[in-house]
Amino acid sequence: MTGSALIISDLRASVGGTEIVHGVDLEIRPGEVHAVMGPNGSGKSTLSHVIMGKPGYEVQSGSVTLDGVELLDLPTWQRARAGLFLAMQYPTEVPGVSLTDVLSNSEASADELDERLRAEADRIGFDHQFLSRALNVDLSGGEKKRNETLQLAVMKPKFAVLDELDSGLDVDALRLVARRVEAATQEDDLGVLVITHYSRLLNELKPDRVHILSRGRFVASGGPELAEELEASGYAGYAGEPAEQPPGAATAIDPFADPLGL
Ligand code: ADP
Ligand code: MG
């Protein structure tokens, strides 16, 4: 194994003056899939935005390194260039910019790019008519998620953060998209941090580790069985207690209560 890794250490970050991410540690190696699950408002999207450098977030402490390079010092485009990819929960619409425009920075010629885009679109059942549309404009939720997956497949980043890639996808599209990402972990050694609420995404995109985020902290980590357990019993018992505390020890805490405890 190479020394390649995406390493998050003691990351604390706030938005709008409130600390949302309260000290997250995570290490992802090439080819590994780490799933992050957690109730609404637990800070999953915030974590993904901070890793990618979306404006508006303030980092209090910690580091995020990709192959030893500190990403927190870099603007978003340089993080992308370093090999990081983020599929946002709510992909941004970019009028006037097509998918081909976005991807044409890569070394491939226009014809090669076109051919790869078409081949990848077929692989995830994405209609070719969307390839020339302005980025995410007038796409349904599910089409946006396929669009993100297509970019991932063509860009071939080293590490990808996928924030609810499954939301808006029907069962068939979900399977295709999850399989495509799983294939990238095997063919291209892609390392993945996948945020999801549902274990069905993880039936195809097989996690090595599952982490539960609650109130901005990981409160439990385990193997794939943890996702199954969550599907059955929900987040009760993982409502922000220290990681050492066994599940079930937390007494009657509503996981959907105000995550900030305000
Ligand atoms: P998740 O993705 O786990 O559902 P988020 O990371 O989207 O959670 O949100 C975590 C918390 O941060 C929520 O309480 C949310 O209201 C708050 N939050 C997110 N974005 C902002 C923002 N731009 N300004 C203020 N609060 C925010
Ligand atoms: Mg979210």
Side-chain angles (χ1 to χ4, degrees):
M1 187 186 282
T2 67
S4 182
L6 178 67
I7 300 175
I8 302 166
S9 310
D10 188 35
L11 185 63
R12 293 172 183 272
S14 61
V15 59
T18 308
E19 190 173 291
I20 304 292
V21 176
H22 296 301
V24 163
D25 295 277
L26 188 62
E27 189 166 327
I28 305 177
R29 297 274 163 184
E32 286 183 354
V33 176
H34 290 251
V36 171
M37 307 179 83
N40 295 322
S42 55
K44 304 181 299 297
S45 293
T46 301
L47 175 64
S48 73
H49 292 156
V50 171
I51 295 171
M52 197 67 209
K54 189 170 184 232
Y57 297 85
E58 197 183 321
V59 175
Q60 263 74 47
S61 74
S63 78
V64 180
T65 62
L66 195 163
D67 296 354
V69 175
E70 179 56 71
L71 295 183
L72 297 180
D73 296 338
L74 304 177
T76 298
W77 68 271
Q78 283 187 5
R79 299 184 197 199
R81 187 158 287 183
L84 186 67
F85 179 93
L86 169 65
M88 285 193 289
Q89 182 174 2
Y90 304 107
T92 313
E93 299 188 1
V94 191
V97 175
S98 73
L99 190 55
T100 320
D101 294 335
V102 172
L103 298 172
S104 60
N105 271 339
S106 57
E107 307 85 70
S109 73
D111 283 350
E112 279 167 356
L113 177 60
D114 206 51
E115 200 172 308
R116 271 188 49 206
L117 272 173
R118 284 162 186 275
E120 288 293 350
D122 291 343
R123 217 165 150 181
I124 55 168
F126 194 49
D127 199 304
H128 291 185
Q129 65 161 317
F130 298 124
L131 300 179
S132 51
R133 267 214 208 152
L135 199 66
N136 287 319
V137 174
D138 295 328
L139 295 190
S140 74
E143 286 158 2
K144 286 179 184 172
K145 297 305 172 118
R146 274 190 277 208
N147 198 335
E148 298 280 302
T149 309
L150 189 61
Q151 290 174 52
L152 170 69
V154 173
M155 283 175 165
K156 293 191 189 298
K158 291 180 186 168
F159 293 94
V161 179
L162 311 174
D163 191 1
E164 301 203 17
L165 190 62
D166 44 354
S167 69
L169 289 175
D170 61 51
V171 175
D172 297 325
L174 173 63
R175 191 177 300 121
L176 289 172
V177 161
R179 273 188 194 160
R180 182 64 192 90
V181 180
E182 172 69 22
T185 67
Q186 294 179 13
E187 295 165 15
D188 304 322
D189 240 3
L190 174 71
V192 177
L193 193 168
V194 56
I195 294 166
T196 184
H197 280 293
Y198 303 107
S199 65
R200 65 186 177 186
L201 174 76
L202 307 176
N203 291 337
E204 303 281 346
L205 177 58
K206 299 202 162 42
D208 296 282
R209 300 289 293 168
V210 175
H211 313 274
I212 301 177
L213 189 71
S214 179
R215 305 182 190 211
R217 286 187 183 87
F218 286 139
V219 292
S221 293
E225 71 286 346
L226 189 51
E228 305 291 338
E229 189 190 314
L230 277 177
E231 187 104 330
S233 58
Y235 296 112
Y238 298 106
E241 303 305 306
E244 295 74 36
Q245 199 157 347
T251 48
I253 293 170
D254 177 1
F256 297 105
D258 178 359
L260 301 178
L262 296 174

